[in-house]
Amino acid sequence: MKQIILALTALLFVQCAVQPTDSGTANVENMNREAFFREYVAKEPNFEHLQIRGKVTANLNGKQNSASSRIYMQGDERIWVNLSMLGITGARANITPSRVQAYEVIDRTYIDGDFAFFNEKLKVDFINFERLQQLLLGRMLLLGAQDAYKMSVDKANNEFVVEYQPNQSASGTSQIFALKYFLDGNFRLLRAEMQDRNSPTTLTATYENWSSTAAGDLPGIVKVVIKGTQNDEITLEYNTFDLTPMDAPFNIPGNYSPREIN
């Protein structure tokens, strides 16, 4: 269980339920970059509250674990995650724009820090609250202005291709990432490829089983693969979406010990 909560927090998992429906895939059309981004931004999910029930599977350094997951997003203010096995909470996380907190029940340990934790675990240097939410919901992580991106149309594969190649000499970061995104004709992200040009590290996120909901188009499966000194894989399966608010308590027990992240 502790491997799962570390993996998810490194990304990271009778009501009016949102029933997803398959909206199909439209054919890509020739358009310039400005028109593409205008259409893409118009497809941004819109919600005040979003509950996601599903399952998370983590394969970290050859060890695989899985748990039921419940993710609650409160607009752009909070991401709450509960992981359980056989209905018993095993781990819980609470993430805000300035803070990352989580605890694991079996080991009675917790973490309390900032987004440096996510960046270290994902081997990147650009994750913040907004981009973590984008990663979970199948949105492009836009690191620069729109005019820094090259957009093309691959009609053979019916995909839009968006590429970001940063100017290494102008960047103040130690890791220089090249990004490449592939989207379908409905402007839904299919695959994101992130390459650190200063190391062999790559991060690939794939999005499948897209459906239309009252909040907008949302993926049903999110898979993140990190390749570097070791290969790690995290898969999130989203089964139901709900737009109603929920009680999402979070309190690190006083008798838990801080966990060393390595």
Side-chain angles (χ1 to χ4, degrees), residues 163-235:
E163 298 180 73
Y164 175 69
Q165 296 288 343
N167 183 339
Q168 186 166 1
S169 62
S171 174
T173 62
S174 59
Q175 294 177 312
I176 311 301
F177 281 85
L179 310 179
K180 194 171 186 178
Y181 301 107
F182 302 83
L183 300 91
D184 69 11
N186 291 326
F187 304 92
R188 301 178 300 195
L189 185 60
L190 303 175
R191 187 170 74 259
E193 299 175 354
M194 309 175 196
Q195 171 71 57
D196 181 357
R197 301 194 301 191
N198 290 342
S199 81
T201 299
T202 63
L203 187 151
T204 302
T206 57
Y207 299 88
E208 303 174 11
N209 294 5
W210 281 87
S211 58
S212 295
T213 76
D217 287 351
L218 296 172
I221 298 176
V222 179
K223 181 181 292 186
V224 178
V225 177
I226 306 167
K227 293 184 178 181
T229 55
Q230 69 181 48
N231 295 337
D232 296 329
E233 182 176 305
I234 306 159
T235 301

Side-chain angles (χ1 to χ4, degrees), residues 106-212:
I106 296 176
D107 282 358
R108 294 179 177 269
T109 57
Y110 71 89
I111 59 173
D112 189 350
D114 57 23
F115 281 87
F117 166 76
F118 281 97
N119 287 295
E120 173 64 25
K121 298 301 288 185
L122 291 174
K123 312 301 181 188
V124 298
D125 63 357
F126 49 75
I127 293 294
N128 56 23
F129 182 89
E130 179 184 13
R131 290 170 183 159
L132 174 64
Q133 193 172 65
Q134 291 170 340
L135 185 66
L136 293 173
L137 296 180
R139 303 294 292 174
M140 292 192 296
L141 281 63
L142 300 177
L143 303 188
Q146 292 181 6
D147 58 8
Y149 289 79
K150 175 184 176 182
M151 197 280 292
S152 60
V153 174
D154 181 357
K155 288 199 170 182
N157 293 309
N158 198 37
E159 294 176 341
F160 294 110
V161 182
V162 181
E163 298 180 73
Y164 175 69
Q165 296 288 343
N167 183 339
Q168 186 166 1
S169 62
S171 174
T173 62
S174 59
Q175 294 177 312
I176 311 301
F177 281 85
L179 310 179
K180 194 171 186 178
Y181 301 107
F182 302 83
L183 300 91
D184 69 11
N186 291 326
F187 304 92
R188 301 178 300 195
L189 185 60
L190 303 175
R191 187 170 74 259
E193 299 175 354
M194 309 175 196
Q195 171 71 57
D196 181 357
R197 301 194 301 191
N198 290 342
S199 81
T201 299
T202 63
L203 187 151
T204 302
T206 57
Y207 299 88
E208 303 174 11
N209 294 5
W210 281 87
S211 58
S212 295

Side-chain angles (χ1 to χ4, degrees), residues 16-35:
C16 298
V18 178
Q19 298 298 325
T21 58
D22 184 5
S23 58
T25 302
N27 292 326
V28 298
E29 299 179 0
N30 290 320
M31 62 178 62
N32 60 32
R33 181 177 57 204
E34 290 73 20

Side-chain angles (χ1 to χ4, degrees), residues 33-86:
R33 181 177 57 204
E34 290 73 20
F36 168 83
F37 275 107
R38 185 166 56 250
E39 295 291 337
Y40 175 77
V41 170
K43 300 279 285 186
E44 183 84 24
N46 183 26
F47 58 87
E48 292 185 13
H49 306 274
L50 177 62
Q51 300 181 45
I52 306 174
R53 291 179 181 267
K55 175 183 177 182
V56 56
T57 301
N59 192 330
L60 305 178
N61 202 21
K63 297 180 180 180
Q64 181 168 305
N65 294 281
S66 62
S68 297
S69 63
R70 190 172 187 179
I71 302 172
Y72 175 51
M73 298 184 184
Q74 192 173 353
D76 56 2
E77 299 176 2
R78 183 186 186 202
I79 300 173
W80 178 91
V81 180
N82 188 80
L83 300 180
S84 62
M85 297 182 68
L86 301 176

